Coordinates of all heavy atoms in Angstrom, one line a residue:
A152 N 14.4 11.2 -23.3 CA 13.9 11.2 -24.7 C 12.9 12.3 -24.9 O 13.0 13.0 -26.0 CB 13.3 9.8 -25.1
A153 N 12.1 12.5 -24.0 CA 11.1 13.6 -24.1 C 11.7 15.0 -24.1 O 11.4 15.8 -24.9 CB 10.0 13.5 -23.0
S154 N 12.7 15.1 -23.2 CA 13.4 16.4 -23.1 C 14.1 16.7 -24.4 O 14.2 17.9 -24.8 CB 14.4 16.3 -21.9 OG 15.1 17.5 -21.8
A155 N 14.7 15.7 -25.0 CA 15.4 16.0 -26.3 C 14.5 16.5 -27.4 O 14.9 17.1 -28.3 CB 16.1 14.7 -26.8
E156 N 13.2 16.3 -27.2 CA 12.2 16.8 -28.2 C 11.4 18.0 -27.6 O 10.3 18.3 -28.1 CB 11.2 15.6 -28.6 CG 11.9 14.4 -29.2 CD 12.4 14.8 -30.6 OE1 11.9 15.7 -31.2 OE2 13.3 14.0 -31.1
D157 N 11.9 18.6 -26.5 CA 11.3 19.7 -25.9 C 9.9 19.3 -25.3 O 9.0 20.2 -25.3 CB 11.1 20.9 -26.9 CG 12.5 21.5 -27.2 OD1 13.4 21.5 -26.4 OD2 12.7 21.9 -28.4
Y158 N 9.8 18.1 -24.8 CA 8.6 17.7 -24.1 C 9.0 17.5 -22.6 O 10.1 17.1 -22.3 CB 8.0 16.4 -24.7 CG 7.1 16.6 -25.9 CD1 7.6 16.9 -27.1 CD2 5.7 16.6 -25.7 CE1 6.8 17.2 -28.2 CE2 4.9 16.8 -26.8 CZ 5.4 17.1 -28.0 OH 4.6 17.3 -29.1
L159 N 7.9 17.6 -21.8 CA 8.1 17.4 -20.4 C 7.2 16.2 -20.0 O 6.1 16.0 -20.5 CB 7.6 18.6 -19.6 CG 7.6 18.5 -18.0 CD1 9.0 18.4 -17.5 CD2 6.8 19.7 -17.4
V160 N 7.8 15.3 -19.1 CA 7.0 14.1 -18.6 C 6.6 14.4 -17.2 O 7.4 14.8 -16.3 CB 7.9 12.9 -18.6 CG1 7.1 11.7 -17.9 CG2 8.3 12.5 -20.0
I161 N 5.3 14.3 -17.0 CA 4.7 14.5 -15.6 C 4.3 13.1 -15.1 O 3.5 12.4 -15.7 CB 3.4 15.4 -15.6 CG1 3.8 16.8 -16.1 CG2 2.8 15.4 -14.2 CD1 2.6 17.7 -16.2
L162 N 4.9 12.7 -14.0 CA 4.7 11.4 -13.4 C 3.7 11.3 -12.2 O 3.8 12.2 -11.3 CB 6.1 10.8 -13.0 CG 6.0 9.6 -12.1 CD1 5.5 8.3 -12.8 CD2 7.4 9.3 -11.5
I163 N 2.8 10.4 -12.3 CA 2.0 10.1 -11.1 C 2.2 8.6 -10.8 O 1.9 7.7 -11.7 CB 0.5 10.4 -11.3 CG1 0.3 11.9 -11.5 CG2 -0.3 9.9 -10.1 CD1 -1.1 12.3 -11.7
D164 N 2.7 8.2 -9.6 CA 2.8 6.8 -9.3 C 1.7 6.4 -8.3 O 1.6 7.1 -7.3 CB 4.2 6.5 -8.6 CG 4.5 5.1 -8.5 OD1 3.8 4.4 -7.7 OD2 5.4 4.6 -9.2
T165 N 0.9 5.4 -8.7 CA -0.3 5.1 -7.8 C 0.1 4.1 -6.8 O -0.8 3.6 -6.0 CB -1.4 4.5 -8.7 OG1 -0.9 3.3 -9.4 CG2 -1.9 5.5 -9.7
A166 N 1.3 3.7 -6.6 CA 1.8 2.8 -5.6 C 1.1 1.5 -5.5 O 0.8 0.9 -4.4 CB 1.8 3.5 -4.2
G167 N 0.6 1.0 -6.7 CA -0.1 -0.3 -6.7 C -1.5 -0.2 -6.4 O -2.2 -1.3 -6.4
H168 N -2.1 0.9 -6.1 CA -3.5 1.1 -5.8 C -4.3 1.3 -7.1 O -4.4 2.4 -7.6 CB -3.7 2.2 -4.8 CG -3.1 2.0 -3.5 ND1 -3.5 1.2 -2.6 CD2 -2.0 2.6 -3.0 CE1 -2.7 1.2 -1.5 NE2 -1.8 2.1 -1.7
K169 N -4.9 0.2 -7.7 CA -5.5 0.3 -9.0 C -6.7 1.3 -8.9 O -7.0 1.9 -10.0 CB -6.1 -1.1 -9.4 CG -5.0 -2.1 -9.6 CD -4.1 -1.7 -10.8 CE -4.9 -1.7 -12.1 NZ -4.1 -1.3 -13.3
E170 N -7.3 1.5 -7.8 CA -8.5 2.4 -7.7 C -8.1 3.9 -8.0 O -8.9 4.7 -8.2 CB -9.2 2.3 -6.4 CG -8.4 2.8 -5.2 CD -7.4 1.8 -4.6 OE1 -7.2 0.7 -5.2 OE2 -6.9 2.0 -3.5
L171 N -6.8 4.1 -7.9 CA -6.3 5.5 -8.1 C -6.0 5.8 -9.6 O -5.7 6.9 -9.9 CB -5.1 5.8 -7.3 CG -5.2 5.7 -5.8 CD1 -3.9 6.0 -5.1 CD2 -6.3 6.6 -5.3
D172 N -6.0 4.8 -10.4 CA -5.6 4.9 -11.8 C -6.4 6.0 -12.5 O -6.0 6.8 -13.2 CB -5.6 3.6 -12.6 CG -4.4 2.7 -12.2 OD1 -3.6 3.2 -11.4 OD2 -4.4 1.5 -12.7
G173 N -7.8 5.8 -12.4 CA -8.7 6.7 -13.1 C -8.5 8.2 -12.6 O -8.4 9.1 -13.5
A174 N -8.3 8.4 -11.3 CA -8.1 9.7 -10.8 C -6.8 10.3 -11.3 O -6.7 11.5 -11.7 CB -8.2 9.7 -9.3
A175 N -5.8 9.5 -11.4 CA -4.5 9.9 -11.9 C -4.6 10.4 -13.3 O -4.0 11.4 -13.7 CB -3.4 8.8 -11.7
V176 N -5.2 9.6 -14.2 CA -5.4 9.9 -15.6 C -6.2 11.2 -15.8 O -5.8 12.1 -16.6 CB -6.0 8.7 -16.4 CG1 -6.3 9.2 -17.8 CG2 -5.0 7.5 -16.4
R177 N -7.3 11.3 -15.0 CA -8.1 12.5 -15.1 C -7.3 13.8 -14.7 O -7.4 14.8 -15.4 CB -9.3 12.4 -14.2 CG -10.4 11.5 -14.7 CD -11.7 11.6 -14.0 NE -11.5 11.3 -12.6 CZ -11.7 10.0 -12.1 NH1 -11.9 9.0 -12.9 NH2 -11.6 9.8 -10.8
T178 N -6.4 13.6 -13.7 CA -5.6 14.7 -13.3 C -4.7 15.2 -14.4 O -4.5 16.4 -14.6 CB -4.8 14.3 -12.0 OG1 -5.7 14.1 -10.9 CG2 -3.9 15.5 -11.6
L179 N -4.1 14.2 -15.0 CA -3.1 14.5 -16.1 C -3.9 15.1 -17.3 O -3.4 16.1 -17.9 CB -2.4 13.2 -16.6 CG -1.4 12.7 -15.5 CD1 -0.9 11.3 -15.9 CD2 -0.2 13.6 -15.4
L180 N -5.0 14.6 -17.7 CA -5.8 15.1 -18.8 C -6.2 16.5 -18.5 O -6.3 17.4 -19.4 CB -7.0 14.2 -19.1 CG -6.6 12.8 -19.7 CD1 -7.9 12.0 -19.8 CD2 -5.9 12.9 -21.0
Q181 N -6.6 16.8 -17.3 CA -7.0 18.2 -16.9 C -5.8 19.2 -17.1 O -6.1 20.4 -17.2 CB -7.5 18.2 -15.5 CG -8.9 17.5 -15.4 CD -9.3 17.3 -13.9 OE1 -8.5 17.5 -13.0 NE2 -10.5 16.8 -13.7
R182 N -4.6 18.7 -17.1 CA -3.4 19.5 -17.3 C -3.0 19.5 -18.7 O -1.9 19.9 -19.0 CB -2.3 19.1 -16.3 CG -2.5 19.6 -14.9 CD -1.9 18.8 -13.9 NE -2.1 19.4 -12.6 CZ -3.3 19.3 -11.9 NH1 -4.3 18.6 -12.4 NH2 -3.4 19.8 -10.7
N183 N -3.9 19.1 -19.6 CA -3.7 19.2 -21.0 C -2.5 18.4 -21.6 O -1.8 18.9 -22.5 CB -3.5 20.7 -21.4 CG -3.9 21.0 -22.9 OD1 -4.8 20.3 -23.4 ND2 -3.3 22.0 -23.5
V184 N -2.2 17.2 -21.0 CA -1.2 16.4 -21.6 C -1.6 16.0 -23.0 O -2.8 15.8 -23.3 CB -0.9 15.2 -20.7 CG1 -0.4 15.6 -19.3 CG2 -2.1 14.3 -20.6
E185 N -0.6 15.9 -23.8 CA -0.9 15.5 -25.2 C -0.8 14.0 -25.5 O -1.3 13.5 -26.5 CB 0.1 16.2 -26.1 CG 0.0 17.8 -26.1 CD 0.9 18.4 -27.1 OE1 0.7 18.2 -28.3 OE2 1.8 19.2 -26.7
G186 N -0.1 13.3 -24.6 CA 0.0 11.8 -24.7 C 0.1 11.2 -23.4 O 0.3 11.9 -22.4
L187 N -0.1 9.9 -23.3 CA -0.1 9.2 -22.0 C 0.7 7.9 -22.1 O 0.6 7.2 -23.1 CB -1.6 8.8 -21.6 CG -1.7 8.1 -20.3 CD1 -1.4 9.1 -19.1 CD2 -3.2 7.6 -20.1
I188 N 1.6 7.7 -21.1 CA 2.4 6.5 -21.0 C 1.9 5.8 -19.8 O 1.8 6.4 -18.7 CB 3.9 6.8 -20.9 CG1 4.4 7.4 -22.2 CG2 4.6 5.5 -20.7 CD1 5.8 7.9 -22.1
V189 N 1.5 4.5 -19.9 CA 1.1 3.7 -18.7 C 2.3 2.7 -18.5 O 2.5 1.8 -19.3 CB -0.2 3.0 -19.0 CG1 -0.6 2.1 -17.8 CG2 -1.3 4.0 -19.3
A190 N 2.9 2.8 -17.4 CA 4.1 2.0 -17.1 C 3.8 0.9 -16.0 O 3.2 1.2 -15.0 CB 5.3 2.8 -16.6
A191 N 4.1 -0.3 -16.3 CA 4.0 -1.4 -15.4 C 5.3 -1.7 -14.6 O 6.3 -1.5 -15.2 CB 3.5 -2.7 -16.1
E192 N 5.1 -2.3 -13.4 CA 6.4 -2.5 -12.6 C 7.1 -3.8 -13.1 O 8.2 -4.0 -12.7 CB 6.0 -2.6 -11.1 CG 5.4 -3.9 -10.6 CD 3.9 -4.0 -10.8 OE1 3.4 -3.3 -11.7 OE2 3.3 -4.7 -10.0
F193 N 6.4 -4.6 -13.8 CA 7.0 -5.8 -14.5 C 6.2 -6.2 -15.7 O 5.0 -5.7 -15.9 CB 7.2 -7.0 -13.5 CG 5.9 -7.5 -13.0 CD1 5.2 -8.5 -13.7 CD2 5.4 -7.1 -11.8 CE1 4.0 -9.0 -13.2 CE2 4.2 -7.6 -11.3 CZ 3.5 -8.5 -12.0
H194 N 6.8 -6.9 -16.6 CA 6.1 -7.3 -17.9 C 4.8 -8.1 -17.6 O 4.9 -9.2 -17.1 CB 7.1 -8.2 -18.7 CG 6.6 -8.6 -20.0 ND1 7.3 -9.3 -20.9 CD2 5.4 -8.4 -20.6 CE1 6.6 -9.6 -22.0 NE2 5.5 -9.0 -21.8
R195 N 3.7 -7.5 -17.9 CA 2.4 -8.1 -17.6 C 1.4 -7.5 -18.5 O 1.6 -6.6 -19.2 CB 2.0 -8.0 -16.1 CG 1.8 -6.5 -15.7 CD 1.4 -6.5 -14.2 NE 1.2 -5.1 -13.7 CZ 0.2 -4.3 -14.0 NH1 -0.8 -4.8 -14.7 NH2 0.1 -3.1 -13.5

């Protein structure tokens, strides 16, 4: 869906380590992402 709108999705998977979430988001923001998607492994 992003590609169809000429957008690129950059993925970081924290492998269930919640303490890495903040660092992952900071890394993405430092790369000037325009939006953020937070994906859960199941509905929660």
Side-chain angles (χ1 to χ4, degrees):
S154 177
E156 299 292 337
D157 293 324
Y158 274 78
L159 175 69
V160 174
I161 298 179
L162 165 68
I163 298 180
D164 192 292
T165 59
H168 298 286
K169 294 295 296 180
E170 69 276 10
L171 299 180
D172 286 354
V176 171
R177 287 193 296 273
T178 297
L179 291 169
L180 293 175
Q181 288 166 356
R182 280 153 180 78
N183 204 31
V184 297
E185 295 185 63
L187 182 69
I188 297 174
V189 179
E192 80 275 25
F193 60 87
H194 182 179
R195 62 177 178 80

